[in-house]
């Protein structure tokens, strides 16, 4: 095993779900912990073993108790680990923090988390570093970061330790002071925040907090620290923008202690790394914003230093400060300076492209002292950003595509603000767009093509009303299309998006008309076959527009089908024919059909007689028949794709859709994905156990009951199935598009290998108003453990579309695996009792995997009786005639495990004596008993 | 201010993209879950993440001309923070991604303000922190060579876990990944020292004190030789230092000076180790109208140096003329292209180059056949690929400070040369590569005597300066040249 740990861990980290489907989280966790405790394993490997615990603690410790146990285990590993393995010890602290925080142990202040907190504080204070050795310092730094993370996840945790932390930071001269500094400011921020939430808190409270005595026992803190773990607000940053509300603490001007703490932190901020400085200033900003007694001008002395640096995060935190304090810290000149600085940085030759783009984003969300709009999310250039100032950010063809688009967007917003349609700037922007188009025309790369169409969309989005440019762009696009018909999908995408996003703008109609014009005017001799399918695609889209006359399209079609009958029509290319029919089909739906009926009929007829492909001929004939035989109303009723009443299903499918390669055809052939679960499996009320399933046994010699019973166990397939019943029901809220569902195919996949693969289950139909179909899940255990099963389904909706949907997981609880003893029905209860006795005797020897165990709990006799009746009734084997204080239950867990229970009540406790032939079942049994008894205990008390 | 996850991706032309390293920070994820509440979106597994990221960055399926998910004109990848569209309506945002060559780095910062409605990037401190962290990681992974192969990457990645344990054990970066790999174990300051060691200083220097200051100026230019298009040029400079000075927090001051009528340094950015700044130094900006009364030095930068070499400051400058003024004219003749070039070195620039070369590439044509071209000075070569003329001007321009190139080129080669969508027809350029030691265009210099080190031992002080070119283009005036900036228009 030891040799492949590297592989296993990397397999786990690549795909935890895939890895865990082959084993169970509990098994993997116990393997990890065993290996960590193993003295023979190298520390190099052990460091690796901690990765799953650091990165995915919730997958391995799903409950608080599991987290607690794991943490206790890890802590004992820590104490036993020699101090020279500092890498491992640091990593262990990180793993412990991850496990405790993520399993919510820290929030509930469990024993392990308190011990761990103690340990961390002890390490952090331990300055006894052997000279010239950095290992202890590394450990202390890690401990500080763990403390910070615990405080961050559970605000207020350390608020009583503020003085201790301040002292540690002040005394520390090594680089470690930074770790204490960032910890101190976070604790301070959280503590002040808590005070703001306490009614009546003021200067005195603040003073007490800062002088908080570290020696006060932790337990005493619990009352003082009121932690609402569900309160996400406390975790959120307070600096939201000029409109953000900050809770305040009214202290009056007298908060000397806080001032001195802040000024000492500000003074030393220079010694922090830029990343930590930014974090420090951000937290300081929050604190000062919460305490109006401290003027924001305390930051004044640091501002120039922060604004001058080339570090993006330091300038950014200054902007956030501006956001929080506006004109109480930044004058109008400061504001103008800051904006100019941002403009300079957005195009600075020495900065990286991501940084420049970020600065540009900052310009569009510039925290103005007096913002006009309060929309926090809308991009809006600040008032001070004049076109002249912004002109250094005009896009050019030398920009990378992200920069180009960002600049274009920014300029567009600036010009829009100006409202001058004749401005030189707008002309420049259009020239720029034309230059891009020129590059595309000359064979630009895919990246340029995509960028150009995005730029074109942006331009239209902002300036579609400027007729001059819009028309010009439309003309140039038509020309471009003719040169490069492969761009058809891009152009149609632009058409569709402008139609959808700019509903009042009819630019796209103009473009489509232009395209129709250029396509139909191509002299026949110059028409290239490879362009034809793109042309037809565009013409089909053109035919969807009611306002566009289709006559020229039809004469174009007519030309290609008649004049080239020798080559094109007789070659019988199916795709091409389909393209032709696609256009015809759209024309059939056109409102001006009457005026173009004859030419259309001619084309269809020609196709029907002369086209080389049978399928196309047939379809053409059908269209021809429809066209000539049906009235307009009927024709459109047959063909039109009316919107279904359901929101998510856009179009109703009609039979005619399959006739042309259209959206309809693609839609029907595709399996669609639902956005949310449509239906789910709910547990049906447990019926009688499925004894009849496998118990076809012969009457055997009653005297050798146990051997007999054993003998049948060895038969393959004996009593090996657990049948669980579920109802298939719609989820709420329901989607009207999915009221009636057909051919539902349920697919199950296990998350572990404790059970045999499940067959798919078919359900013929599911109606919302009708009966709920019952689904029987036949589970065949390999090992009778609780499990989770992923469920998905494929079904057909009423409109003929096929859908795939994920369903909520099914959780199979441990008790669902219990079966009564699979004895022949003819056996007397005495024989069953014999089997019980025999099994109990065998198991009490604890050979092999057998073992016995005792579970105790506080339950009165009556309560116990009720419990047994409720949960173990069908498994009881006690003699009803015998007035015994002891209940006996025999649980059979397929394929061949048993749990025997002798339940009795003594004066103060109920005893559950257990015997089993598979000791791995005991933990599950224990937690099950804990569950059923604790609920009772609570209700009794 | 924390990261939820981190990825290092290696891809060769988008085909074999693999996640070479990933790290999830579970406690940050825990906080993300609490803060986002019902709108929480979990981080997908690496395989899915990779696919989504490539699609979003336009790198997936490189052979397909149009993929709706990737190429829709509606999407504008808001680099540097992209949004990954997961199944259903869920999106993962903001994924920061930076790439260089085959290396793609990504991280997912924690959104610590309400995520509905979507807050602007500018309100998330974790974004700029994430960018800084990724940039540091990129420098580390690329190593000193700057070039990267799979093996090199794997060996760098193998060094990462212990480094991450130091600078970002739980997802909140305390520093960027140290460049030199494992930082030296910090030496414990002697007990008499009361000064605190800066967290960005990895150790203490012991030995002879020395300070090395180098000013490097870079000039860029676009010259059109055309009345309707104004030529543009700009200059930016960097001052790099390497200081070996004893002490926990030694004080050093470097002063930059300009000649008497020099135009002021603008857009000054300094290293965070600079302790204080005069507000005059920061006010001059290239986006302002030039003001005669502007502060023009001396520029004082007091700082306490880190151990490694660092960029003390950078600036831009508006010099009145470009160092070399060129003109480039092409004329299409029967079977030939007539070429005529002249370059003139400005009299204020020192005529002593380390190198000076003019490159004349030709695109969208056949390979060169006969090149009957004469130069008045220097040496002319045709590149091996037969699509580029390299004019090596050597160390000096002639006394007249003007050189010319004239001749005819026949593109009669049998095979096609390289293509370029920009340089079609007569659109063509000359690109200049030059380096002049011991000079700057702005006149900015560091006087040895104005480098002050406050320490007991007298330090050795070295200063140097240098001018180089980057993106120095001279466009053919008879063709249409692309505009590099619209600033002049407005």
């Amino acid at each position: 095993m030891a040799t492949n740990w590297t592989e296993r861990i990397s397999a786990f980290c690549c795909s935890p779900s895939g890895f865990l489907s082959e084993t169970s989280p509990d098994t993997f966790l116990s393997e990890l912990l065993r290996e960590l405790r193993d003295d023979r394993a190298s520390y190099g490997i052990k460091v690796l073993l901690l990765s799953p615990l650091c990165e995915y603690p919730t997958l391995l410790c799903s409950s608080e108790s599991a987290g607690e146990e794991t943490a206790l285990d890890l802590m004992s590993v820590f104490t036993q680990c020699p101090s020279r393995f500092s890498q491992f010890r640091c990593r262990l602290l990180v793993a412990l923090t991850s496990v405790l925080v993520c399993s919510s142990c820290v929030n509930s202040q469990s024993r392990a988390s308190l011990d761990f907190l103690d340990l961390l504080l002890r390490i952090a204070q331990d300055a006894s570093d052997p000279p010239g050795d950095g290992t202890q310092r590394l450990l202390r730094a890690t401990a500080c970061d763990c403390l910070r993370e615990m405080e961050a996840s559970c605000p207020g945790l350390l608020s009583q330790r503020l003085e201790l932390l301040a002292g540690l930071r002040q005394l520390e001269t090594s680089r470690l002071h930074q770790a204490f500094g960032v910890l101190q400011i976070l604790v301070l921020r959280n503590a002040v925040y808590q005070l703001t939430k306490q009614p009546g808190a003021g200067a005195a409270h603040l003073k007490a907090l800062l002088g908080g005595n570290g020696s006060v026992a932790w337990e005493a803190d619990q009352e003082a620290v009121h932690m609402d773990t569900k309160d996400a607000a406390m975790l959120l940053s307070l600096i939201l923008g000029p409109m953000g509300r900050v809770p305040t603490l009214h202290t009056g001007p007298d908060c000397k202690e806080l001032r001195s703490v802040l000024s000492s932190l500000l003074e030393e901020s220079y010694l922090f790394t830029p990343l930590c400085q930014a974090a420090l200033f951000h937290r300081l900003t929050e604190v000062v914003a919460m305490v109006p007694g401290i003027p924001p001008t305390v930051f004044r002395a640091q501002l120039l230093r922060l604004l001058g640096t080339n570090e993006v995060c330091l300038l950014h935190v200054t902007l956030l400060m501006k956001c929080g304090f506006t004109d109480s810290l930044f004058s109008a000149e400061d504001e103008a300076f800051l904006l100019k600085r941002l403009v300079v940085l957005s195009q600075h030759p020495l900065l990286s492209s991501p940084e420049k783009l970020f600065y540009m984003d900052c310009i569009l969300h510039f925290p103005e002292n007096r913002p006009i709009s309060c929309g926090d999310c809308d991009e809006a250039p600040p008032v001070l950003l004049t076109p002249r100032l912004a002109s250094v950010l005009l896009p050019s063809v030398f920009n990378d595509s992200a920069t180009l688009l960002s600049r274009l967007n920014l300029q567009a917003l600036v010009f829009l603000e100006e409202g001058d349609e004749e401005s030189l700037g707008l002309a420049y922007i259009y020239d720029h767009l034309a230059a891009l188009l020129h590059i595309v025309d000359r064979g630009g790369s895919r990246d340029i093509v995509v960028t150009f169409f995005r730029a074109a969309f942006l331009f239209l989005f902002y300036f579609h009303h400027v007729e001059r440019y819009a028309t010009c762009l439309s003309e140039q696009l038509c020309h471009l299309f003719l040169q490069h018909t492969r761009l058809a999908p891009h152009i149609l995408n632009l058409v569709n998006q402008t139609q959808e996003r700019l509903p009042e703008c009819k630019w796209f109609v103009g473009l489509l008309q232009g395209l129709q014009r250029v396509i139909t005017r191509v002299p026949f001799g110059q028409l290239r076959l490879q362009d034809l399918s793109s042309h037809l695609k565009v013409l089909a889209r053109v035919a969807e527009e009611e306002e566009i006359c289709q006559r020229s399209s039809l004469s174009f079609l007519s030309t290609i089908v008649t004049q080239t009958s020798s080559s094109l029509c007789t070659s019988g290319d199916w795709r091409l024919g389909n393209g032709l029919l696609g256009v015809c089909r759209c024309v059939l739906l056109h409102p001006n059909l009457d005026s173009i009926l004859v030419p259309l009929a001619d084309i269809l007829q020609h196709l029907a007689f002369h086209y080389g492909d049978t399928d196309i001929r047939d379809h053409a004939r059908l269209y021809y028949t429809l066209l000539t035989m049906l009235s307009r109303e009927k024709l459109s009723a047959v063909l039109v794709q009316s919107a279904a009443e359901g929101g998510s299903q856009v179009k109703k499918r009609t039979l005619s859709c399959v006739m042309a390669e259209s959206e309809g055809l693609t839609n029907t052939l595709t399996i669609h994905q639902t956005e949310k679960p449509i239906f789910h499996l709910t547990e049906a009320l447990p019926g009688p156990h499925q004894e009849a399933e496998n118990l076809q046994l012969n009457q055997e010699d009653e005297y050798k009951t146990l051997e007999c019973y054993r003998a049948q166990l060895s038969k393959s397939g004996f009593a090996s199935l657990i049948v669980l019943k579920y109802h298939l029901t719609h989820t709420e809220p329901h989607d009207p598009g999915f009221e009636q569902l057909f051919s539902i195919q349920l697919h199950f996949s296990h998350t572990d290998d404790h059970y045999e693969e499940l067959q798919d289950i078919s359900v013929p139909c599911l109606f919302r108003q009708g009966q709920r179909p019952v689904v029987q899940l036949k589970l065949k255990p390999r090992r009778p453990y609780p499990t989770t099963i992923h469920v998905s389904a494929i079904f057909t909706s009423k409109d003929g579309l096929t859908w795939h949907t994920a369903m909520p997981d099914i959780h199979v609880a441990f008790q669902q695996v219990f079966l009564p003893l699979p004895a022949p029905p003819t056996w007397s209860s005495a024989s069953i009792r014999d089997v019980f006795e025999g099994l109990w005797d065998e198991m009490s020897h604890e050979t092999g995997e057998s073992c016995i165990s005792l579970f105790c709990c506080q339950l009165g006799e009556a309560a116990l009786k009720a419990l047994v009746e409720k949960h173990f009734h069908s498994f009881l084997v006690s003699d009803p005639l015998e007035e015994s204080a002891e209940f006996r239950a025999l649980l059979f867990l397929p394929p061949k495990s048993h749990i025997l229970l002798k339940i009795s009540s003594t004066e103060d406790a109920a005893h559950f004596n257990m015997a089993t032939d598979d000791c791995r079942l005991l933990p599950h049994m224990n937690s099950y008993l804990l569950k059923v008894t604790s609920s009772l205990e609570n209700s009794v008390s | 201010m924390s990261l939820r996850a981190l990825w290092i991706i290696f891809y060769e032309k988008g085909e074999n993209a693999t996640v070479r390293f990933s790290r999830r920070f579970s406690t940050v994820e825990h906080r993300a879950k609490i803060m986002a509440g019902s709108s929480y979106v979990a981080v997908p597994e690496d395989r899915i993440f990779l696919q989504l990221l490539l699609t979003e960055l336009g790198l997936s399926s490189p052979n397909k001309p149009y993929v709706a998910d990737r190429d829709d004109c509606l999407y504008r990848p808001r680099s540097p923070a992209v949004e990954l569209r997961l199944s259903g309506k869920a999106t993962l945002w903001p994924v920061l991604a930076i790439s260089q060559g085959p290396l793609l780095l990504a991280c997912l910062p924690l959104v610590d303000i309400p995520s509905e409605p979507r807050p602007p990037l500018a309100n998330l401190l974790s974004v700029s922190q994430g960018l800084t962290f990724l940039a540091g990681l990129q420098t580390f992974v690329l190593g000193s060579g700057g070039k990267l192969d799979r093996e090199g990457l794997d060996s760098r990645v193998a060094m990462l876990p212990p480094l991450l344990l130091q600078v970002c054990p739980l997802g909140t970066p305390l520093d960027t990944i140290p460049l030199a790999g494992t930082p030296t174990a910090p030496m414990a300051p002697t007990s008499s020292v009361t000064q605190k060691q800066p967290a960005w200083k990895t150790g203490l220097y012991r030995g002879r004190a020395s300070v090395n200051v180098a000013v490097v100026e870079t000039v860029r230019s676009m010259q059109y030789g055309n009345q309707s298009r104004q030529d543009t040029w700009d200059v930016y400079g960097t001052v790099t230092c390497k200081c070996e000075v004893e002490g926990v927090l030694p004080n050093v001051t470097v002063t930059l000076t300009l000649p008497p009528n020099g135009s002021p340094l603008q857009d000054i950015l300094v290293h965070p180790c600079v302790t204080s700044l005069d507000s005059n130094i920061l006010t001059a900006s290239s986006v302002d109208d030039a003001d005669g009364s502007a502060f023009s030095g001396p520029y004082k930068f007091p700082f306490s140096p880190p151990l490694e070499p660092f960029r003390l400051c950078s600036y831009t400058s508006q010099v009145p003329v470009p160092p070399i003024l060129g003109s480039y004219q092409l004329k299409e003749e029967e079977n030939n292209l007539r070429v005529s070039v002249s370059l003139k070195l400005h009299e204020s620039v020192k005529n002593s180059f380390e190198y000076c070369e003019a490159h004349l590439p030709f695109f969208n044509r056949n390979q060169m056949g006969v090149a009957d071209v004469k130069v008045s000075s220097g040496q002319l070569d045709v590149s091996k690929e037969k699509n580029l003329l390299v004019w090596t001007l050597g160390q000096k321009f002639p006394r007249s400070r003007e050189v010319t190139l004239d001749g005819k080129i026949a593109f009669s080669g049998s095979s096609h040369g390289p293509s370029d969508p920009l340089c079609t027809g007569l659109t063509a350029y000359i690109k200049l590569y030059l380096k002049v030691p011991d000079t700057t265009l702005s006149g900015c210099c560091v006087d040895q005597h104005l480098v002050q080190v406050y320490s007991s031992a007298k330090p050795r002080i070295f200063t140097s300066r240098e001018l180089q070119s980057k993106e120095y283009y001279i466009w053919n005036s008879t063709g249409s040249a692309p505009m590099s900036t619209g600033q002049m228009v407005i």
Side-chain angles (χ1 to χ4, degrees), chain A residues 15-17 54-57 87 90-91 94 97-98 101-102 137-138 145-146 148-149 152-153 169-170 172-173 175 177-178 232 235-237 239-240 268 270-276 278-279 282-283 304-305 308-313 316-317 320 337 340-341 343-345 348-350 354 357-358 361-362 365 376-377 379 388-389 391-392 394 396-398 402 405-406 409 424-425 428 439 442-444 446 450 453-454 457-458 489-490 493-494 497 501 675, chain B residues 1 22-24 26-28 30-31 34-35 45-46 58 60 62 64-66 70-80 88-89 98 112-114 117-118 120-125 127-129 131-132 162 165-166 169-170 172-176 186 188-189 194-202 220 222 236-238 249 267-275 277 279 282-283 285-289 304 311 314 421-422 424 475 482-487 489-490:
Chain A
S15 170
S17 67
C54 291
E55 295 193 51
Y56 299 94
Q87 279 279 331
C90 290
R91 196 93 172 110
V94 172
T97 312
S98 306
V101 167
C102 295
R137 192 168 297 129
L138 181 60
D145 205 53
C146 292
R148 191 197 43 68
E149 193 59 34
S153 309
R169 178 180 68 83
Q170 253 150 14
E172 191 61 53
T173 53
R175 297 164 66 205
H177 66 85
Q178 172 178 275
L235 297 174
L236 295 173
S237 163
I239 310 302
L240 303 176
E268 284 179 14
Y270 166 77
L271 302 175
F272 286 22
T273 61
L275 283 171
C276 282
H282 184 245
R283 293 299 179 198
L304 265 183
R305 189 171 72 75
T309 69
N310 51 12
E311 289 287 340
V312 55
C313 52
H316 189 194
V317 81
L320 291 175
F337 168 73
K340 269 188 242 162
R341 192 87 181 160
V343 173
V344 163
L345 291 170
H348 199 286
L350 285 167
L357 287 165
F358 175 71
D361 193 76
C362 289
H365 298 101
D376 237 0
C377 312
E379 294 185 330
R388 203 183 138 63
L389 180 58
S391 67
V392 290
L394 281 167
S396 93
V397 292
F398 297 102
L405 292 171
S406 288
N409 181 54
L424 285 171
Y428 175 84
I439 297 177
R442 298 298 171 91
R446 175 170 68 78
V450 174
F453 280 97
R454 285 178 179 162
F457 177 78
L458 264 183
H490 292 277
N493 173 241
L494 183 67
Q497 294 294 8
R501 302 284 148 171
E675 270 167 21
Chain B
M1 283 171 289
S22 76
R23 173 64 61 84
R24 277 161 183 73
S26 57
T27 50
V28 183
H30 177 74
R31 278 189 272 154
I34 296 175
M35 282 195 268
E45 288 185 1
D46 288 354
S60 61
K64 294 188 187 156
Y66 181 83
R70 183 192 63 191
D71 299 329
D72 196 322
C73 68
L74 188 64
Y75 305 131
R76 179 160 64 88
R78 309 278 173 119
S79 182
K89 282 210 172 101
I98 64 172
D112 64 352
I113 51 183
R118 164 87 35 101
L121 274 189
N123 285 10
L124 296 170
L125 182 60
V127 169
S128 61
Q129 290 192 310
L131 283 179
T132 307
L165 185 61
Q166 285 177 31
L170 283 152
T172 307
L174 302 165
D175 197 357
T176 49
T194 51
Q195 267 175 324
K196 292 191 179 186
Q197 187 179 348
W200 37 261
K201 193 158 174 171
T202 47
R220 301 185 296 179
M222 287 276 174
Y236 59 89
T238 58
L249 204 59
D267 305 341
I268 290 178
L269 291 179
V270 300
H271 192 270
C273 77
V274 172
T275 44
L277 273 175
S279 63
L282 288 188
T283 41
S285 156
S286 58
V287 295
D288 268 335
D289 299 320
S304 181
R311 199 167 77 202
S314 66
L422 208 57
T424 53
W475 292 90
M483 269 198 279
S484 65
T485 166
Q487 201 185 355
V489 177
I490 296 177

Side-chain angles (χ1 to χ4, degrees), chain A residues 686-891:
Chain A
H689 279 285
Q690 306 295 306
E691 300 96 323
E693 195 63 46
N694 291 292
L695 307 183
Q696 313 300 329
L697 287 172
N698 303 324
Q699 177 99 29
E700 293 284 341
D701 189 353
E702 286 204 18
Y703 297 104
K704 296 175 176 175
T705 42
L706 188 56
E707 284 86 63
C708 253
Y709 172 67
R710 275 280 150 71
Q712 44 175 28
L713 272 189
S714 58
K715 288 180 194 166
S716 73
F718 167 78
S720 54
L721 283 188
I722 301 163
V723 180
L724 301 175
K725 283 190 181 176
Y726 293 90
H727 286 305
L728 188 63
T729 38
H730 276 92
T731 46
E732 295 296 337
H734 79 279
D735 188 329
F738 295 115
E739 294 245 314
Q740 300 186 352
L741 309 174
F742 305 91
S743 308
I744 302 158
Q745 188 86 3
L746 300 171
H747 178 75
F748 304 89
S749 56
H750 287 293
T751 52
D752 48 44
D753 65 345
H754 302 324
Y755 291 83
E756 304 277 349
E757 286 300 314
L758 279 167
Q759 297 288 322
D760 285 0
I761 295 180
S762 294
V763 179
C765 59
L766 174 65
F767 298 147
R768 207 182 140 64
Q769 308 299 346
Q771 226 177 12
R772 299 179 301 171
V774 175
V775 175
Q776 284 199 349
L777 221 59
K778 295 181 179 170
L779 284 171
K780 192 169 184 187
R782 292 183 186 132
R783 287 169 292 277
Y785 299 150
T787 186
T788 300
I789 302 169
H790 293 318
V791 194
S792 60
I794 290 182
F795 62 89
T796 307
S797 55
K798 198 177 152 193
D799 51 11
L801 290 190
T802 308
W803 296 82
H804 176 264
T805 183
M807 295 168 61
D809 290 346
I810 295 181
H811 300 283
V812 178
F814 187 52
Q815 66 272 22
Q816 287 179 293
V817 192
F818 298 169
L819 288 181
L821 186 75
T826 50
W827 277 21
S828 64
S829 54
S831 326
I832 296 176
R833 279 198 298 280
D834 285 348
V835 173
F836 185 95
E837 292 293 345
L839 282 173
W840 186 277
D841 277 350
E842 274 184 27
M843 291 171 188
S844 356
H845 295 310
E846 295 204 297
T847 50
E849 305 205 307
S850 304
C851 62
I852 51 173
S853 170
L854 175 64
F855 176 89
C856 294
C857 65
Q858 283 198 325
L859 269 188
E861 207 173 327
L864 182 65
K865 196 163 181 200
L867 179 132
V868 170
E869 269 302 310
K870 186 170 169 203
H871 296 287
F872 297 108
H873 177 75
S874 43
F875 312 109
L876 286 179
V877 295
S878 354
D879 191 343
L881 300 174
E882 203 176 316
E883 262 308 309
S884 158
E886 189 182 70
F887 300 99
R888 292 178 171 199
L890 201 169
L891 313 178

Side-chain angles (χ1 to χ4, degrees), chain B residues 8-79:
Chain B
I8 297 181
I9 295 157
F10 189 78
Y11 71 105
E12 291 149 310
K13 296 169 203 106
E15 293 282 3
N16 307 314
T18 44
V19 175
R20 308 302 289 178
F21 178 84
S22 76
R23 173 64 61 84
R24 277 161 183 73
F25 298 104
S26 57
T27 50
V28 183
E29 194 63 27
H30 177 74
R31 278 189 272 154
K33 205 183 278 178
I34 296 175
M35 282 195 268
S38 57
S39 56
Y40 169 72
V41 177
V43 182
E45 288 185 1
D46 288 354
R47 189 175 42 84
I48 300 166
F49 174 84
L50 177 64
Q51 201 47 51
L52 293 170
L53 184 67
L54 292 179
T55 301
E56 199 56 35
L57 295 178
L59 299 170
S60 61
S61 342
N63 300 322
K64 294 188 187 156
Y66 181 83
V67 178
D69 264 355
R70 183 192 63 191
D71 299 329
D72 196 322
C73 68
L74 188 64
Y75 305 131
R76 179 160 64 88
R78 309 278 173 119
S79 182

Side-chain angles (χ1 to χ4, degrees), chain A residues 135-185:
Chain A
T135 54
Q136 178 65 17
R137 192 168 297 129
L138 181 60
L139 191 68
R140 290 178 71 194
T142 313
C144 282
D145 205 53
C146 292
L147 284 169
R148 191 197 43 68
E149 193 59 34
M150 287 170 77
E151 171 73 25
S153 309
C154 180
L157 186 70
L158 294 166
S159 58
Q160 302 298 312
R161 314 273 179 164
L162 261 177
E163 197 186 20
L164 170 76
L165 296 174
L168 284 171
R169 178 180 68 83
Q170 253 150 14
L171 289 179
E172 191 61 53
T173 53
S174 75
R175 297 164 66 205
L176 208 58
H177 66 85
Q178 172 178 275
F180 286 117
V182 286
L183 174 59
Q184 186 194 352
I185 185 62

Side-chain angles (χ1 to χ4, degrees), chain A residues 199-236:
Chain A
H205 294 83
L206 188 61
K207 188 172 173 180
L209 192 70
L210 293 169
N213 196 342
S215 64
V216 175
W218 163 267
E219 276 76 11
D221 299 351
Q222 292 192 6
E223 270 95 332
V225 184
H226 170 71
M227 268 182 298
D228 186 357
T229 52
K230 293 280 166 255
D231 182 15
M234 185 136 175
L235 297 174
L236 295 173

